[in-house]
Amino acid sequence: MAAAGRLRRRLLLVVPWRWGCSPRRWGTGGPAAGQVRVAFLRFFQERHGHRRLPSAPVRPRGDPRLLFVNAGMNQFKPIFLGTVHPRSELAQYKRVVNSQKCVRAGGKHNDLEDVGRDTYHHTFFEMLGNWSFGDYFKEEACSMAWELLTEVYEIPRDRLYVTYFGGDSSLGLNADEECRDIWLCLGVPASHVLPFPLKDNFWEMGDTGPCGPCTEIHYDHVGGGRNAAALVNQGSPDVVEIWNLVFMQYSREVEGNLIPLPQHHVDTGMGLERLVTVLQNKHSNYDTDLFTPILDAIHKGCGGPRYQGLVGEADIGAVNMAYRVVADHVRTLCVCITDGIYPGLSGAELVLRRILRRAVRFCSEVLHAPPGLLASLVPTVVDVLGDAYPELRKNTDQIADIINENEAAFLSSLERGRRIIERTVQQMEPSMDFPAEVAWSLYGNLGFPLDLIDLMLEEKGIRLDSAAFDELALEDAKRKAHGLQARQLEGENVYLDVHSLAQLHSNNVPVTDDSPKYAYTLGQHGQYEFSPCQATILMLYRDQSLQEEVGAGQHCGVILDRTNFYAEQGGQASDRGYLMRLGQQDTLFPVESVHLCGGYVIHEVTAVETLRAGDQVQLFVDEAQRLACMINHTATHLLSFALRHILGDNTEQQGSHVTAERLRFDFNTKGPVTMEHLQQVEQVVQEVIKRNEVVHMAEVPLTLARRVQGLRTVDEEYPDPVRIVSLGVPVESVLIHDSEAAMHTSVELCCGTHLLQTGAVEDLAIISERQLAKGISRVIAVTGGQAKQAREVGQYLAMEVDSLSIRLKQGSTSIPEVQNLSREVGQLTKVVASTAMPQWQRKELQTILKALQRTANTAIKKLEMQQAAEKAQSLLAKHCNQPVIIDTVPADSPSILMKVVNHLCDKSPGTSVLLLSPQASGEVLCACQVSKNCLPMFSAADWATAVCTQMEGKAGGSCVVAKGSGNAKGMQGALTTALAFAQSKL
Ligand code: ATP
Ligand code: MG
């Protein structure tokens, strides 16, 4: 309690500190959110010497394991991990304060499900935090927090409860009594200081790395003299956590044990929204000035009833929930789009797309708002948050445009989805669960967020058959993983056999007109617009035979008179999407893949209901997937051109494959492909992207096409007429006799669907390059946001490698420390090998890491030798000129122990030596060496075996040197045995 006594004395000296806007001037409504935020920052900056840092963007820079920045500490992770570059600015920080934009909507921290249902979890929120990096610790952290809450913000003390870590016997951790005592000393009554187990009060960054106990501060919204201790950490909306103070004092090792960290850190986080709720004397975050302007704007935009703050069953029709969801989600959208996360198809972007769709759905279905409401809220959000985060003001129009575009796309499918659900429900038996296949197609084909489907069903009092749904999801994942293999298994419905083909011909069924697949244009704002397509079913195919009708639930091939679906060919993956029967907008037939067979395009379809030849259908291609393929296909042509440009004209394409996720390109070339080549290739590609060249496409007779000079063709059969794709130069120009135009740009025979201009590729990064065979290389590349991300990850890892190298060069003299660094080199080597990043950079980092590994190994060996020499020296002095030395000695590893033994024998060649070294784990290491003079009578292996058997262990070696280990319990007996054995041999 001595520390606590000091603290009490210090607190008595504290002169109450006042922030600029004294609480006395607040009036009844309490301080505005902006004042609360500023007071926090100033309190730590001015009163406690913290450096104020801006919020990091919510898009994590270079951390591929994170979807969104979800806590203030994210940007300081390298400091906690000890991997910070010692010369970087970050490494200079001792005390820091900031207000961090956080998103918890995916990955480890995901509060999306709670948003709207409760009143204190958001997808986007602001985290106020203060940090100590190896500076102050528990005592100061708690007292600063207490001072701020009770003296600056003047929160009544009796409403606050604090928790501390109650210990964990399985980890051998005691309760954090130090923390408990600090709170007691600060005057918190014992009934408000509560222990909680590991799950609540021990914070870990990941499976390994820094961790430690934490202490949380909770607020009782009800008060009135009651004791609310029993409600803390129970998920009650009345007693809510507002602040978490983490004390980073251990490191969790790979083996699962905890070792104390050399430096102690403090990492705290307090949700601004929850704090403002307390200070404005409200019960719900949505009743504070961070949300009321947005709720008002929603009301204005949709008419209808006002927001009343109702929750749960009282909230009839979920109108209040809709208000909360929309207000929350539009904030998240504004912040994410500003920081470069756009609604998209994978990772964080997919999460954002779901958030947007969830918001749109609540706007239209529950609030009955006209389209455009969501985007109309953007200026209000910017008003509320723009002072704290000025970056929001830069592109307000762009945020609104992106929201509107995505809304329009979703609204059309929403309408369809609603009808599908309605019709399915009508056909269901009352006690049935909602069929998983229908939910799957809503999710997969119409892009419905899962929780949205749940919600729509919940409103109808129906549950989804989630077990079956999970199974479908698993199957889909497997199918994607196996790609071709899986498709081949299903091939019976997709590839027509010879008999069926002959039958189609003899029945005069015309081959499919698939020209509508090229029917797309660039819209006014540069977005791609795909024309709709209507068709008639000519024939169905199932169980290797042509059929006029296929029953509900069956998998079949569908042959149409025309289609806008791209069938897998020329290395471009097929389109996905769905069909609908004309006039029946409530049934959706998913199209899983599309193949070309003898001129017929076979759509692989699940017939949710009976399908018949003659049915009229409307075709919907998954436009996002198609666009991603178009980007990657055009990028493949750029890559092919750039490779030729850099590696020489005899570089020939051997094969390529394009999917929505990546592109693969095989080519043969003379000589090795160096990393400089890859960098140069990327540069050439980027230049063409920047020029935003027009992609010219036209069909020409094959004979004419073959005359084009320098034409890049692959050894494939081409149809006649054939399509020419030419970058920047009109097809007519490359066809002119003797024109050399095709020598200087990319001109290929290609039936793929391409971009109309190269700019949309945005960026290309080669993330892998390897030799398939002598002279044949395969590269894998990604484009757009993925390429950008790969580059950021590369830079981030380069920094980590740089930091590691500096720390290694500092030349530690502690063996465990150097061993830790060596382990870090190993871990980083694995990450560098397995993460998507530019290949040239990967190679560069791998070379450095290899050298670092050598440095570390040499350093360890050298330190071990030094230590061994010192230990041997003192043993030699102790046992001066004895024929046998038997002793115990501290040594960190068997190899050090052996080195001590070797060293002793070198210095004193007539002496035989056996040393034992007890370890913290309870194990005893043994090493021995027998003097040449004593051979062959005296065998080292026998000696060690006799000694280790005594300790219930084992040993082995030669007659000169041997080693082994055993149990500490038998150590005294082992020493006696060692001596008796030696004496019997001498
Ligand atoms: P809870 O148990 O309430 O979800 P948490 O334990 O996940 O909180 P921490 O990770 O400790 O919270 O984050 C620190 C602080 O950030 C919390 O005390 C709270 O004030 C705030 N906070 C956390 N998640 C949210 C959220 N989704 N919305 C608003 N504030 C949040
Ligand atoms: Mg949480």
Side-chain angles (χ1 to χ4, degrees):
M1 293 290 276
R6 266 200 322 274
L7 175 67
R8 194 180 306 134
R9 277 194 301 281
R10 186 173 323 152
L11 271 179
L12 286 177
L13 296 176
V14 165
V15 184
W17 177 88
R18 289 272 167 253
W19 44 335
C21 40
S22 153
R24 314 234 179 280
R25 282 200 259 135
W26 294 342
T28 48
Q35 292 175 305
V36 176
R37 192 190 294 112
V38 165
F40 182 93
L41 298 171
R42 284 192 48 204
F43 173 78
F44 283 101
Q45 191 181 10
E46 293 168 19
R47 175 144 173 81
H48 291 290
H50 287 61
R51 178 159 171 163
R52 182 165 159 181
L53 293 183
S55 171
V58 290
R59 194 159 78 89
R61 296 291 140 140
D63 189 345
R65 288 151 287 217
L66 206 57
L67 281 175
F68 300 97
V69 165
N70 57 25
M73 56 75 59
N74 289 173
Q75 64 171 320
F76 306 118
K77 205 165 133 187
I79 302 185
F80 296 129
L81 288 172
T83 59
V84 63
H85 198 305
R87 281 203 302 265
S88 69
E89 211 187 330
L90 204 58
Q92 317 311 319
Y93 299 153
K94 289 280 170 247
R95 294 176 173 214
V96 164
V97 61
N98 91 345
S99 157
Q100 173 64 46
K101 300 179 278 186
C102 295
V103 175
R104 292 195 174 177
K108 191 175 169 215
H109 287 283
N110 187 351
D111 293 336
L112 185 61
E113 291 292 323
D114 290 325
V115 171
R117 294 181 201 274
D118 76 16
T119 55
Y120 57 100
H121 279 98
H122 306 294
T123 52
F124 162 75
F125 68 99
E126 296 174 65
M127 197 186 277
L128 303 168
N130 61 294
W131 285 271
S132 151
F133 303 122
D135 190 12
Y136 62 80
F137 204 43
K138 296 184 190 180
E139 200 182 306
E140 293 88 334
C142 293
S143 81
M144 287 176 199
W146 196 248
E147 183 193 357
L148 177 69
L149 293 182
T150 62
E151 292 181 29
V152 176
Y153 290 135
E154 297 186 339
I155 298 176
R157 291 172 165 76
D158 63 347
R159 294 283 193 98
L160 296 171
Y161 294 80
V162 298
T163 66
Y164 67 95
F165 176 50
D168 187 280
S169 53
S170 68
L171 278 173
L173 290 176
N174 293 328
D176 192 358
E177 288 172 0
E178 183 188 0
C179 174
R180 179 197 62 196
D181 292 345
I182 291 169
W183 287 122
L184 293 174
C185 276
L186 284 165
V188 185
S191 59
H192 286 222
V193 183
L194 315 165
F196 278 92
L198 197 84
K199 166 176 82 63
D200 297 295
N201 277 67
F202 196 86
W203 189 89
E204 307 208 35
M205 182 146 54
D207 297 335
T208 58
C211 53
C214 62
T215 181
E216 293 176 346
I217 305 175
H218 296 247
Y219 178 81
D220 176 17
H221 279 282
V222 175
R226 71 168 183 170
N227 185 312
L231 293 176
V232 170
N233 271 338
Q234 301 304 315
S236 158
D238 292 335
V239 181
V240 174
E241 174 195 328
I242 55 171
W243 203 348
N244 190 0
L245 286 61
V246 181
F247 306 124
M248 227 77 83
Q249 64 185 104
Y250 300 105
S251 169
R252 168 122 25 210
E253 300 298 287
V254 187
E255 300 80 30
N257 55 319
L258 295 172
I259 57 165
L261 280 177
Q263 274 207 322
H264 289 176
H265 310 289
V266 174
D267 157 29
T268 89
M270 170 154 63
L272 173 74
E273 298 75 6
R274 294 189 192 178
L275 174 65
V276 171
T277 302
V278 170
L279 298 181
Q280 296 184 353
N281 213 4
K282 297 289 197 283
H283 214 103
S284 152
N285 292 3
Y286 294 93
D287 293 338
T288 67
D289 61 341
L290 286 167
F291 285 93
T292 45
I294 308 175
L295 295 169
D296 287 345
I298 297 174
H299 174 65
K300 254 191 227 129
C302 67
R306 279 195 160 276
Y307 176 67
Q308 292 172 293
L310 301 174
V311 192
E313 285 182 0
D315 179 18
I316 295 160
V319 171
N320 291 271
M321 171 165 171
Y323 266 100
R324 287 188 291 268
V325 168
V326 174
D328 173 275
H329 288 10
V330 73
R331 286 174 16 121
T332 306
L333 284 163
C334 289
V335 168
C336 285
I337 293 171
T338 297
D339 284 350
I341 303 176
Y342 306 110
L345 283 186
S346 64
E349 310 218 311
L350 179 62
V351 175
L352 197 66
R353 180 164 105 138
R354 294 204 175 127
I355 288 176
L356 184 137
R357 294 188 157 204
R358 193 163 179 248
V360 169
R361 189 263 163 170
F362 274 101
C363 283
S364 94
E365 298 264 296
V366 184
L367 298 174
H368 307 294
L373 171 69
L374 204 54
S376 77
L377 305 173
V378 173
T380 313
V381 175
V382 173
D383 268 354
V384 173
L385 295 173
D387 285 347
Y389 310 103
E391 60 275 18
L392 279 166
R393 297 200 195 279
K394 278 193 203 142
N395 279 321
T396 313
D397 290 346
Q398 190 203 10
I399 302 174
D401 285 350
I402 291 178
I403 292 179
N404 272 336
E405 269 166 32
N406 278 277
E407 179 182 80
F410 181 51
L411 276 176
S412 67
S413 21
L414 185 64
E415 182 53 21
R416 241 171 267 151
R418 209 176 44 76
R419 278 202 295 260
I420 289 169
I421 290 184
E422 226 124 71
R423 185 181 142 114
T424 312
V425 171
Q426 274 166 17
Q427 292 174 344
M428 277 166 50
E429 306 275 328
S431 61
M432 250 172 76
D433 282 346
F434 192 81
E437 298 77 26
V438 181
W440 179 252
S441 69
L442 288 172
Y443 173 73
N445 298 112
L446 290 183
F448 267 51
L450 267 189
D451 67 326
L452 184 70
I453 300 174
D454 275 339
L455 270 171
M456 291 171 84
L457 294 180
E458 196 183 291
E459 276 168 15
K460 298 192 179 300
I462 296 167
R463 276 189 336 191
L464 170 65
D465 181 352
S466 14
F469 186 90
D470 291 346
E471 228 164 82
L472 286 178
L474 199 73
E475 264 172 38
D476 183 67
K478 268 194 212 151
R479 190 173 340 173
K480 276 187 187 140
H482 290 132
L484 257 181
Q485 246 178 9
R487 249 175 270 145
Q488 273 157 0
L489 281 180
E490 291 154 10
E492 62 206 52
N493 293 326
V494 177
Y495 298 100
L496 297 171
D497 63 4
V498 275
H499 309 294
S500 307
L501 262 174
Q503 205 183 333
L504 284 170
H505 286 306
S506 64
N507 289 353
N508 286 329
V509 177
V511 294
T512 319
D513 168 15
D514 64 352
S515 58
K517 68 187 176 194
Y518 298 124
Y520 49 86
T521 50
L522 265 179
Q524 248 186 353
H525 302 291
Q527 79 285 14
Y528 280 83
E529 286 168 359
F530 296 85
S531 308
C533 181
Q534 233 177 61
T536 307
I537 297 183
L538 299 183
M539 197 54 80
L540 297 149
Y541 186 64
R542 184 174 160 76
D543 294 338
Q544 284 162 314
S545 69
L546 295 170
Q547 311 197 344
E548 292 276 336
E549 183 178 311
V550 165
Q554 297 189 321
H555 221 69
C556 63
V558 177
I559 301 170
L560 304 164
D561 57 344
R562 59 202 303 267
T563 184
N564 55 350
F565 276 73
Y566 185 85
E568 164 117 29
Q569 62 191 305
Q572 180 180 328
S574 82
D575 281 339
R576 286 194 309 253
Y578 59 95
L579 312 176
M580 267 181 172
R581 255 194 307 235
L582 214 61
Q584 187 191 349
Q585 297 290 304
D586 49 12
T587 311
L588 189 141
F589 300 84
V591 178
E592 276 122 54
S593 69
V594 188
H595 293 267
L596 193 62
C597 234
Y600 297 102
V601 176
I602 318 294
H603 303 73
E604 188 194 346
V605 167
T606 308
V608 194
E609 290 187 2
T610 308
L611 277 178
R612 290 186 187 85
D615 281 351
Q616 300 264 307
V617 289
Q618 250 179 317
L619 281 60
F620 298 89
V621 168
D622 180 336
E623 293 177 3
Q625 195 235 349
R626 157 69 85 84
L627 182 59
C629 284
M630 285 167 42
I631 289 174
N632 284 344
H633 204 155
T634 302
T636 305
H637 286 205
L638 299 189
L639 179 69
S640 170
F641 167 71
L643 280 166
R644 253 176 190 250
H645 189 74
I646 298 299
L647 299 175
D649 259 356
N650 39 27
T651 309
E652 294 292 347
Q653 172 172 349
Q654 291 292 309
S656 85
H657 194 255
V658 174
T659 65
E661 291 79 28
R662 53 126 190 83
L663 58 102
R664 196 183 72 205
F665 191 79
D666 300 341
F667 58 98
N668 59 4
T669 180
K670 306 243 160 10
V673 181
T674 66
M675 292 309 111
E676 289 75 39
H677 286 145
L678 294 188
Q679 261 181 297
Q680 289 162 359
V681 166
E682 284 183 0
Q683 268 162 23
V684 172
V685 172
Q686 274 153 7
E687 279 158 26
V688 187
I689 294 172
K690 231 184 266 157
R691 287 203 299 270
N692 201 15
E693 304 266 29
V694 173
V695 183
H696 298 273
M697 289 169 269
E699 282 197 345
V700 298
L702 195 54
T703 43
L704 198 60
R706 287 219 189 273
R707 271 194 247 139
V708 175
Q709 282 197 47
L711 183 72
R712 286 40 142 176
T713 61
V714 186
D715 210 11
E716 255 181 33
E717 288 222 0
Y718 290 95
D720 195 5
V722 70
R723 240 172 118 76
I724 291 190
V725 179
S726 163
L727 284 189
V729 182
V731 174
E732 309 85 73
S733 310
V734 298
L735 288 176
I736 296 171
H737 187 62
D738 274 350
S739 158
E740 291 206 343
M743 305 293 285
H744 310 295
T745 184
S746 157
V747 180
E748 297 195 27
L749 301 183
C750 178
C751 59
T753 53
H754 282 269
L755 293 175
L756 302 175
Q757 279 182 278
T758 57
V761 179
E762 286 178 25
D763 191 4
L764 176 140
I766 297 174
I767 55 166
S768 145
E769 186 275 336
R770 67 188 173 94
Q771 276 221 327
L772 286 185
K774 195 169 177 331
I776 300 186
S777 280
R778 163 167 294 180
V779 296
I780 291 175
V782 289
T783 54
Q786 274 173 290
K788 199 163 159 190
Q789 165 121 11
R791 285 187 205 290
E792 279 173 10
V793 168
Q795 272 167 14
Y796 174 80
L797 291 175
M799 261 166 50
E800 286 204 7
V801 170
D802 202 22
S803 140
L804 193 52
S805 131
I806 290 185
R807 283 179 289 135
L808 250 175
K809 285 192 185 123
Q810 280 166 346
S812 167
T813 52
S814 138
I815 295 179
E817 220 170 85
V818 184
Q819 274 168 338
N820 261 341
L821 287 174
S822 155
R823 225 174 288 145
E824 246 185 74
V825 176
Q827 282 164 357
L828 204 48
T829 305
K830 270 193 212 144
V831 176
V832 165
S834 61
T835 312
M837 63 189 283
Q839 180 68 3
W840 59 265
Q841 193 165 27
R842 188 194 321 279
K843 290 275 174 201
E844 212 171 87
L845 296 185
Q846 281 171 334
T847 311
I848 303 176
L849 283 167
K850 245 192 214 152
L852 290 183
Q853 194 56 270
R854 273 198 302 272
T855 314
N857 292 347
T858 319
I860 292 171
K861 245 190 229 145
K862 209 169 126 196
L863 286 171
E864 285 183 352
M865 291 298 274
Q866 261 172 17
Q867 232 184 57
E870 283 159 19
K871 288 198 169 125
Q873 209 59 48
S874 62
L875 281 169
L876 215 51
K878 183 173 162 194
H879 302 274
C880 177
N881 283 337
Q882 306 260 354
V884 181
I885 296 178
I886 294 165
D887 209 334
T888 60
V889 64
D892 287 333
S893 69
S895 83
I896 299 183
L897 190 64
M898 189 49 99
K899 284 197 180 85
V900 180
V901 170
N902 300 148
H903 216 82
L904 267 172
C905 291
D906 280 356
K907 293 280 171 207
S908 173
T911 306
S912 299
V913 182
L914 184 140
L915 296 178
L916 297 182
S917 178
Q919 304 291 301
S921 60
E923 194 192 23
V924 175
L925 304 176
C926 165
C928 66
Q929 181 169 351
V930 169
S931 160
K932 285 211 179 75
N933 305 346
C934 303
L935 295 171
M937 284 295 290
F938 191 177
S939 150
D942 293 348
W943 199 14
T945 304
V947 168
C948 292
T949 311
Q950 182 72 36
M951 300 188 290
E952 294 172 350
K954 279 191 190 141
S958 70
C959 50
V960 183
V961 288
K963 62 181 176 183
S965 66
N967 198 309
K969 270 187 239 140
M971 196 169 84
Q972 278 314 317
L975 287 167
T976 319
T977 305
L979 188 61
F981 187 97
Q983 278 167 348
S984 75
K985 301 290 177 189
L986 290 172

